[in-house]
Amino acid sequence: MMEITNDEINKFVEAVKEQSSYDFSDYSEKSFRRRIEKLLNDNNCDVEKLISKLSKDSAFLNKIVKDITVNTTEMFRDPKMWHQLRYQLLPSFQNKEKIRIWHAGCSTGEELYSMLILLNEMGLFERTEVVGTDLNEDVLKVAKNGQYRYKFNMVYIENFDQVMKENPNNGEKYDLDYEKYFIIDKNRDLLKMNQFLLDKPTFQTHDLVSGKHELGEPFDLIICRNVLIYFNNNLQNKVFELFFKSLVPGGHLVIGVHESILGPLSNKFSKMAQVYQKK
Amino acid sequence: MRNAIAIGGSAGSFKVVVELLTKIPKSYNIPIFLCLHRLKHVRNGFSEALSLRSNLKVVEPQDKDEILPGKIYLAPANYHLLVGLDGKFHLSVEEAVNHSRPSIDYLFSSAALHYGKYLTGVLLSGANRDGAIGMQHINMEGGQTIVQSPEESQVNTMPKSCLELFKPDLILESEQIINYLVGLKG
């Protein structure tokens, strides 16, 4: 693996900033470094060449930005968090006429569909508007398509069972067929979401870093999990500020199990287990 | 700069780690980073299981947490655990490396960059090749490298792949590794 210096990272960030609307200067240095190293390896070149190539070739620049910003996501990651949504948070939405949910940095959408499945089981599906955004339009295409590799997702089916088929509070079990929500084709290694789920969400590109709220009415719930770990504290504050502004009074925010709100925005939210609430 | 210890292991390493944690005294002031492979969906109970017989608390760090002496840090399930140049923990959900997340290579390489010669890296029993490259990085940055002897390892793929890559400072049996680490001063 190619090793790069901090100076080279800075040069690269500057070049991307000059050539595009993307500013990576506040990205968490650690994972950013490795992603650039991976780029150099994949393209078999050094930083100098990479910079000169992306200045001349906008398609290449586009691809580079996408490679850097791609994130992984899974179905029903962290069952405990989903239990809290199912048994504590979402029941409090029962009396609302309309529910708006924003999956910020939704990547390929597995978690967004997990949410839709849960909403449907709770009878909240019809009245909910779900928006999925990501910086990267390629992952949004995958999300819109709702088609995933079965083998990769197989271990998460167990999470699905944990969240959808049993109540941890009383041990009660529910019957539920996967077919209601997705089709599994083991031979073709496919897991495909059913059409009524695909029809529900709107997806649009959005750059959290821009700090702009351009998604219409405020949200009752924002889900942004394992995205902020790639940002430094400055940028995190900016994003928390955006989330604060984008939530209705008393609205909720869910971030990754190992993420927390630090800094100036921390006293504008109260926290209960995995869920933050706007004060 | 203060000392730190990074330990990686997979199949067959759990017992060694538990044994180590029972021997580490409460007064121990070197932070220990544990990166142990486990099943993807086994999310809970692992740090608790390790804490049971440990004198020091085993914690799964939050992203951007400070690294404190005398704590045992366990890479959370399904995240990569890294040490940043800011000296804090960073978590990542980038794709798995060698089918592993957490990746021992990532933890070791990142810690090597931050700690340099103040880092001791330990690679234990395991069934894949994760950790070998990370150990080499620790070595290149001037840190100490200790590999569990393949003969004594329950599964020797991991120690062996490290030995194929470079010559570590020490090749020890688990009991010797434990004694060595317990004897380290912060």
Side-chain angles (χ1 to χ4, degrees):
Chain A
M1 191 65 110
M2 198 107 173
E3 300 256 345
I4 52 171
T5 65
N6 289 344
D7 198 40
E8 285 174 318
I9 291 188
N10 293 338
K11 271 191 195 151
F12 174 82
V13 170
E14 277 307 308
V16 173
K17 207 159 127 183
E18 255 171 49
Q19 308 290 329
S20 74
S21 57
Y22 298 110
D23 184 356
F24 292 123
S25 34
D26 281 337
Y27 267 54
S28 172
E29 166 273 335
K30 199 72 249 171
S31 36
F32 194 63
R33 166 189 298 272
R34 202 177 27 262
R35 284 175 189 213
I36 299 179
E37 283 172 356
K38 189 167 178 293
L39 276 176
L40 296 179
N41 253 22
D42 293 350
N43 293 285
N44 198 14
C45 68
D46 59 19
V47 177
E48 209 71 25
K49 269 197 198 127
L50 193 72
I51 291 174
S52 108
K53 194 160 183 228
L54 63 84
S55 318
K56 286 181 213 137
D57 182 349
S58 64
F60 182 70
L61 172 64
N62 242 325
K63 189 188 169 299
I64 295 286
V65 169
K66 279 174 188 164
D67 283 353
I68 289 176
T69 55
V70 70
N71 261 331
T72 60
T73 172
E74 298 131 20
M75 289 180 71
F76 291 106
R77 188 185 174 115
D78 307 316
K80 260 192 183 165
M81 188 273 304
W82 289 100
H83 281 140
Q84 197 188 349
L85 291 188
R86 180 169 194 172
Y87 297 105
Q88 284 176 17
L89 182 62
L90 294 178
S92 72
F93 289 175
Q94 293 283 4
N95 299 322
K96 282 183 191 283
E97 260 173 50
K98 191 170 85 175
I99 305 164
R100 276 176 57 80
I101 301 179
W102 175 17
H103 285 260
C106 69
S107 191
T108 41
E110 284 91 329
E111 208 157 81
L112 185 146
Y113 288 111
S114 306
M115 178 63 88
L116 291 179
I117 291 170
L118 184 56
L119 289 167
N120 194 62
E121 283 299 304
M122 298 183 71
L124 298 171
F125 187 82
E126 293 304 329
R127 69 182 94 164
T128 305
E129 291 174 4
V130 177
V131 182
T133 66
D134 202 282
L135 176 65
N136 186 327
E137 61 199 57
D138 285 1
V139 294
L140 288 182
K141 270 183 210 150
V142 178
K144 268 180 207 159
N145 213 11
Q147 186 169 303
Y148 307 104
R149 278 165 46 223
Y150 165 69
K151 272 190 205 124
F152 178 80
N153 284 285
M154 199 167 52
V155 340
Y156 305 110
I157 301 281
E158 206 163 310
N159 286 354
F160 181 87
D161 289 348
Q162 262 191 58
V163 177
M164 303 307 298
K165 294 192 178 175
E166 65 183 74
N167 182 343
N169 305 313
N170 57 18
E172 217 175 303
K173 302 236 190 254
Y174 313 111
D175 243 3
L176 179 67
D177 282 334
Y178 301 130
E179 287 78 19
K180 196 169 160 191
Y181 295 111
F182 45 82
I183 302 161
I184 291 171
D185 183 338
K186 288 184 188 172
N187 294 329
R188 291 165 63 211
D189 191 20
L190 286 181
L191 186 157
K192 175 126 178 85
M193 296 297 161
N194 286 348
Q195 194 60 42
F196 84 102
L197 293 180
L198 298 177
D199 290 341
K200 185 72 179 176
T202 39
F203 291 103
Q204 85 180 64
T205 52
H206 175 264
D207 185 3
L208 284 172
V209 178
S210 75
K212 283 190 200 126
H213 175 74
E214 45 204 15
L215 305 164
E217 290 169 55
F219 294 95
D220 300 287
L221 173 61
I222 297 176
I223 315 260
C224 181
R225 306 211 318 130
N226 302 314
V227 174
L228 299 167
I229 46 181
Y230 302 112
F231 301 163
N232 71 11
N233 293 117
N234 284 338
L235 195 49
Q236 285 190 354
N237 290 339
K238 211 166 144 186
V239 178
F240 287 134
E241 187 80 50
L242 171 66
F243 288 162
F244 186 81
K245 277 193 278 184
S246 308
L247 283 169
V248 298
H252 293 84
L253 169 67
V254 177
I255 54 181
V257 172
H258 290 274
E259 296 174 308
S260 28
I261 303 181
L262 305 166
L265 267 293
S266 59
N267 52 22
K268 291 193 175 176
F269 288 92
S270 53
K271 192 186 183 194
M272 225 182 75
Q274 296 306 320
V275 178
Y276 285 90
Q277 184 173 21
K278 176 175 172 173
K279 282 188 193 166
Chain B
M1 181 68 68
R2 314 270 308 248
N3 289 332
I5 297 168
I7 301 174
S10 183
S13 70
F14 186 76
K15 232 182 89 186
V16 184
V17 172
V18 170
E19 193 61 29
L20 168 70
L21 295 185
T22 61
K23 296 267 171 65
I24 295 274
K26 238 192 157 82
S27 59
Y28 203 69
N29 62 1
I30 308 174
I32 298 180
F33 316 139
L34 298 173
C35 185
L36 306 170
H37 297 158
R38 50 196 139 146
L39 294 173
K40 255 188 199 171
H41 55 280
V42 180
R43 299 292 158 80
N44 306 310
F46 198 61
S47 61
E48 288 83 351
L50 286 172
S51 284
L52 272 181
R53 293 175 59 199
S54 172
N55 293 311
L56 293 166
K57 209 174 166 211
V58 179
V59 290
E60 294 188 348
Q62 294 282 106
D63 183 57
K64 312 282 193 293
D65 265 0
E66 301 266 0
I67 297 170
L68 301 171
K71 284 219 179 182
I72 317 281
Y73 295 102
L74 174 68
N78 223 354
Y79 285 88
H80 294 303
L81 176 68
L82 311 151
V83 178
L85 288 182
D86 55 4
K88 293 179 180 173
F89 283 120
H90 291 243
L91 295 173
S92 142
V93 290
E94 284 160 76
E95 58 210 37
V97 188
N98 292 322
H99 306 287
S100 307
R101 190 169 71 195
S103 147
I104 301 171
D105 279 338
Y106 277 10
L107 171 66
F108 281 10
S109 300
S110 64
L113 268 181
H114 179 69
Y115 285 100
K117 65 176 179 178
Y118 297 98
L119 182 68
T120 301
V122 182
L123 193 63
L124 302 172
S125 167
N128 75 7
R129 305 181 65 84
D130 192 18
I133 292 173
M135 285 288 273
Q136 195 179 28
H137 275 156
I138 295 176
N139 181 263
M140 276 157 34
E141 298 293 331
Q144 286 277 315
T145 46
I146 305 171
V147 176
Q148 185 178 3
S149 106
E151 290 75 36
E152 195 234 358
S153 297
Q154 211 174 67
V155 185
N156 64 19
T157 317
M158 219 143 137
K160 260 188 168 166
S161 65
C162 180
L163 296 179
E164 280 163 19
L165 207 59
F166 76 104
K167 189 175 169 298
D169 298 304
L170 297 164
I171 302 168
L172 302 174
E173 298 198 348
S174 51
E175 203 189 318
Q176 296 170 299
I177 295 177
I178 291 167
N179 291 335
Y180 181 92
L181 295 178
V182 170
L184 282 179
K185 297 275 179 283

